[in-house]
Amino acid sequence: MKALHLVVIVLITCIQTMAEKPNIILFVSDDHGLDALGCYGNPVIKTPNMDQLAADGVRFTRAYCTSASCAASRSVILTGKFGHATGSYGHVHDYHHFSTFDTVKSLPVMLSEAGYHTAQIGKYHVAPESVYKFDVRYKCDPRSTIEMAETVTPTIRQDKPFFLYFCPDDPHRGDPFTPDPWNAPNSFGNKSEPYPGETIVKYDPKDVIVPEFLPDTQECREELAQYYQSISRIDQGLGKLLKILDDSGKTDNTVIIYISDNGIAFPGAKTTVYEPGIKLPCIVKDPRTDFQGLKNRSMISWVDLTPTILDFAGVTVEKSRFHGRSFLPILGKKNSKSWNTVYAAHNFHELTMYYPMRVIREDNMKLIWNIAYGLKYPFASDLWAASTWQSVYRNKGEYFGHRKVQDYLFRPEFELYDLKSDPEESRNLADDPAYANQLETMKKKIQAFQIETNDPWQIIWGNKSNMQGTGVNL
């Protein structure tokens, strides 16, 4: 009888412990840059639900993905490791076929083992499924964000603590990527008729804000207007998700993180390691705290997301397993001096887009190492076909935004920028004698980062043979 009583106590304790664990929603939009949220300073875009999330939580102003390419970035988000260490070098779908090593243990697997119900909806774009295994994978139109929110209602209403990986396709460019005629704007997933439950929000091209890195042309403005419309659809889906959460009585115990996988899908951002490609929105709401409306300037990276989410969930894992670290301890701080450095690493986008780059940003100084600097910079197929690029290319324009077309296509081995005085990354200081010591110091830090993260591209420094491998299967 005593033994039975003890078992009951243990079961009750376990149930209580699980009930105290927070639910976690990781909302990952597709190609949403820092340029198009009201809470990040855009007065034109209508994002009331994102803005409210920021008002209720913490808005990071220096958050970075590690690779401005969808699949590569998502692998980092879900593993806490850089893609070059997991085999996630670029896109996974179709003929690209870059898959994560099967020895890697991902975030949903670790959370499932810790008692969480794990669910995924929308863009998956990682492989293999055995590594990125969720308890439930919902099927739904990934452009219909309101419908996505309604589809995941069973996960929100069930009793176990849940981790929901919510990934709309918006505002990724829509198919077909090649417009007809050539100067027609891409749809960014927008349709003439609303998606279920959607209120279409249209924007006048003359009202959009053209970032400095883009050309202020009619074609660009028309595409930005479509991009804005797609983001407003995401925002409505977020609002629906929050309402379902509230109606289910789960709001007060659900952590919500809103991010994007990489920057806006325009040349000069997506697939590059310039700031518009990798500096992204990150809003974190933890209703169990009083961190409301805070702006956090600490530098965080998507490689930090897995350890942070595990920390939220109370799951203890050896820190050495990850290349990132949990930013939960500094969530409520305005700035943490020990969080002043991030690294980025891009290898491929599509299989035919080989252009490896390594980056360190330390405070306001940023070094880009263009490993394949002898090659012409490659275009993603959708960005090449975009009317924004074609309007410059067909007219043989000298400039694309603030950067010369020639400088965009042919890059030096090293690019060094002082982002405090040059936020647009226009003045390369790598050949300036006054910055010679700074350059060498940051180059050594990139080398150390590569060694620490087992980066195969470290071989380029002096053709080191220790990364060659034996070529023998044992």
Side-chain angles (χ1 to χ4, degrees):
M1 193 69 177
K2 287 184 179 180
L4 179 61
H5 183 66
L6 182 60
V7 169
V8 171
I9 291 175
V10 169
L11 286 173
I12 291 173
T13 302
C14 289
I15 292 171
Q16 288 175 336
T17 301
M18 290 305 296
E20 292 168 357
K21 288 182 176 290
N23 307 304
I24 302 167
I25 297 175
L26 179 57
F27 194 119
V28 185
S29 57
D30 196 355
D31 302 351
H32 187 186
L34 201 63
D35 54 279
L37 297 90
C39 56
Y40 278 93
N42 186 320
V44 177
I45 189 84
K46 294 178 176 64
T47 53
N49 294 297
M50 297 177 195
D51 299 347
Q52 187 60 54
L53 193 67
D56 293 338
V58 178
R59 174 171 56 95
F60 283 90
T61 59
R62 297 197 295 176
Y64 287 82
C65 70
T66 65
S67 183
S69 183
C70 302
S73 180
R74 290 168 189 268
S75 74
V76 175
I77 290 168
L78 292 177
T79 65
K81 290 186 175 183
F82 286 90
H84 55 247
T86 65
S88 309
Y89 304 127
H91 279 352
V92 302
H93 61 307
D94 299 331
Y95 56 86
H96 309 295
H97 204 56
F98 289 115
S99 294
T100 301
F101 301 142
D102 58 13
T103 54
V104 175
K105 199 169 191 179
S106 72
L107 174 63
V109 171
M110 288 184 276
L111 286 174
S112 183
E113 290 177 351
Y116 270 75
H117 169 77
T118 61
Q120 181 271 338
I121 190 168
K123 188 163 186 173
Y124 190 57
H125 217 30
V126 286
E129 193 168 353
S130 58
V131 168
Y132 299 99
K133 183 174 176 55
F134 289 83
D135 296 332
V136 177
R137 288 190 61 202
Y138 293 102
K139 300 299 181 182
C140 180
D141 184 349
R143 294 284 187 181
S144 184
T145 322
I146 291 176
E147 187 179 359
M148 288 174 63
E150 293 171 340
T151 301
V152 300
T153 300
T155 281
I156 293 174
R157 289 182 176 169
Q158 51 88 53
D159 293 331
K160 291 176 68 175
F162 65 81
F163 169 64
L164 173 60
Y165 185 53
F166 192 97
C167 304
D169 271 8
D170 293 322
H172 193 288
R173 285 178 175 268
D175 192 38
F177 294 144
T178 303
D180 184 17
W182 72 265
N183 59 350
N186 186 271
S187 70
F188 287 83
N190 302 316
K191 300 191 301 184
S192 57
E193 297 296 321
Y195 288 87
E198 178 201 7
T199 299
I200 294 178
V201 180
K202 291 191 175 183
Y203 295 88
D204 192 321
K206 69 178 176 58
D207 294 331
V208 301
I209 298 172
V210 181
E212 288 291 324
F213 71 94
L214 292 177
D216 193 348
T217 60
Q218 182 63 23
E219 290 83 2
C220 183
R221 285 184 169 273
E222 289 177 353
E223 291 212 298
L224 286 170
Q226 294 291 327
Y227 167 66
Y228 279 22
Q229 181 178 330
S230 185
I231 290 167
S232 285
R233 184 166 59 254
I234 299 174
D235 188 79
Q236 291 177 40
L238 173 61
K240 182 65 174 181
L241 185 63
L242 294 174
K243 187 178 187 306
I244 293 171
L245 198 64
D246 202 42
D247 291 345
S248 302
K250 300 291 182 72
T251 297
D252 292 340
N253 193 41
T254 301
V255 174
I256 303 173
I257 303 173
Y258 181 90
I259 63 168
S260 173
D261 57 357
N262 49 251
I264 179 175
F266 283 71
K270 183 177 179 178
T271 76
T272 79
V273 290
Y274 294 128
E275 294 290 284
I278 61 175
K279 189 178 182 183
L280 300 174
C282 180
I283 305 170
V284 182
K285 178 191 173 186
D286 184 352
R288 304 166 303 167
T289 71
D290 58 359
F291 304 151
Q292 295 185 344
L294 290 180
K295 182 171 70 173
N296 193 320
R297 295 189 69 256
S298 304
M299 278 186 180
I300 62 169
S301 166
W302 287 182
V303 79
D304 301 318
L305 284 167
T306 281
T308 299
I309 290 171
L310 290 172
D311 206 0
F312 270 120
V315 178
T316 302
V317 181
E318 290 182 9
K319 293 181 180 179
S320 60
R321 176 177 289 186
F322 309 114
H323 296 149
R325 53 178 172 160
S326 170
F327 56 75
L328 181 55
I330 54 104
L331 183 62
K333 297 182 179 180
K334 293 182 179 180
N335 192 11
S336 180
K337 292 182 179 179
S338 62
W339 289 74
N340 67 344
T341 304
V342 292
Y343 292 90
H346 181 96
N347 301 302
F348 292 85
H349 181 67
E350 297 160 7
L351 176 62
T352 51
M353 284 185 63
Y354 176 73
Y355 203 86
M357 297 169 280
R358 297 295 179 266
V359 180
I360 177 175
R361 176 170 175 183
E362 193 170 36
D363 280 333
N364 290 313
M365 297 303 298
K366 178 178 179 180
L367 177 63
I368 300 172
W369 178 30
N370 296 307
I371 299 174
Y373 66 99
L375 301 177
K376 183 179 179 180
Y377 191 80
F379 272 82
S381 54
D382 57 335
L383 303 188
W384 170 262
S387 60
T388 296
W389 169 255
Q390 288 295 319
S391 64
V392 174
Y393 175 72
R394 288 168 180 257
N395 292 315
K396 295 181 170 56
E398 183 181 2
Y399 281 87
F400 185 84
H402 64 79
R403 188 173 279 110
K404 284 188 174 183
V405 171
Q406 186 74 2
D407 292 340
Y408 182 77
L409 296 177
F410 297 95
R411 305 183 182 185
E413 183 175 10
F414 294 102
E415 299 177 67
L416 179 65
Y417 300 107
D418 181 348
L419 297 179
K420 184 175 183 180
S421 61
D422 179 26
E424 303 301 333
E425 299 166 283
S426 298
R427 298 187 300 276
N428 184 8
L429 304 172
D431 294 327
D432 188 332
Y435 289 86
N437 291 337
Q438 177 89 58
L439 175 63
E440 289 305 312
T441 297
M442 296 182 80
K443 284 165 63 175
K444 289 178 181 178
K445 289 184 177 181
I446 285 181
Q447 285 184 268
F449 154 74
Q450 291 184 280
I451 293 170
E452 183 180 350
T453 59
N454 200 33
D455 181 358
W457 276 264
Q458 66 179 273
I459 192 176
I460 305 300
W461 300 102
N463 195 28
K464 296 180 180 177
S465 60
N466 64 314
M467 290 301 295
Q468 288 279 14
T470 63
V472 177
N473 291 321
L474 299 177

